[in-house]
């Protein structure tokens, strides 16, 4: 997917340099990774008018995050994982097949 396709397919898009792996689960069932966004700029939202920071999101695969640059965070509504969602107050998951794109300096 290119950047435009990711942006169009997302329900929430953030630009953030504060994305860190918070937790992961491997073993029984599907593996998943929980990421925490400490701060960021909302570029697109279709559901929430305000996004509370810090927030967490789930990804089904490990993201290749470089700590040096800001990145775009492409999210959609969380599907499944209801026990984890309730326990960790998760509302979003990483857009499937979206790569990690760094924010371009203008």
């Amino acid at each position: 997917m290119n950047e435009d396709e990711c942006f169009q397919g997302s329900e929430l898009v953030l630009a953030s340099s504060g994305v860190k792996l918070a937790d992961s689960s491997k073993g029984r069932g599907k593996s998943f990774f929980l990421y925490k966004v400490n701060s960021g700029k909302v570029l697109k939202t279709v559901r929430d008018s305000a996004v509370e920071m810090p927030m967490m999101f789930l990804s089904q695969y490990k993201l290749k995050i470089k700590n040096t640059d800001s990145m775009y965070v492409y999210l959609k509504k969380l599907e499944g994982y209801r026990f984890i969602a309730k326990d960790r107050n998760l509302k979003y998951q990483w857009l499937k097949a979206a790569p990690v794109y760094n924010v371009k300096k203008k």
Side-chain angles (χ1 to χ4, degrees):
M1 295 179 89
N2 66 31
E3 289 183 60
D4 290 333
E5 290 172 332
C6 293
F7 193 88
Q8 295 301 321
S10 298
E11 294 180 21
L12 176 65
V13 180
L14 305 170
S16 176
S17 61
V19 179
K20 304 253 187 239
L21 179 64
D23 201 359
S24 64
S25 171
K26 293 181 183 176
R28 297 190 322 183
K30 295 188 273 183
S31 62
F32 61 88
F33 301 88
L34 296 178
Y35 289 89
K36 184 175 184 178
V37 181
N38 291 316
S39 64
K41 180 179 178 184
V42 177
L43 303 176
K44 175 186 175 183
T45 180
V46 296
R47 297 177 63 211
D48 301 324
S49 58
V51 179
E52 290 183 32
M53 297 287 178
M55 67 169 290
M56 293 184 78
F57 67 89
L58 182 139
S59 176
Q60 295 175 349
Y61 48 91
K62 190 169 184 174
L63 303 176
K64 295 176 182 168
I65 297 174
K66 297 179 182 124
N67 292 334
T68 57
D69 295 326
S70 293
M71 63 179 269
Y72 292 112
V73 180
Y74 300 106
L75 302 174
K76 66 175 191 162
K77 182 182 175 193
L78 183 65
E79 297 170 357
Y81 300 97
R82 68 176 191 245
F83 296 116
I84 302 160
K86 186 177 179 183
D87 185 44
R88 296 290 186 109
N89 194 25
L90 296 174
K91 295 180 183 176
Y92 294 99
Q93 69 185 38
W94 185 259
L95 182 65
K96 192 170 187 172
V100 174
Y101 287 109
N102 291 339
V103 175
K104 294 180 179 79
K105 307 270 192 249
K106 292 184 180 179

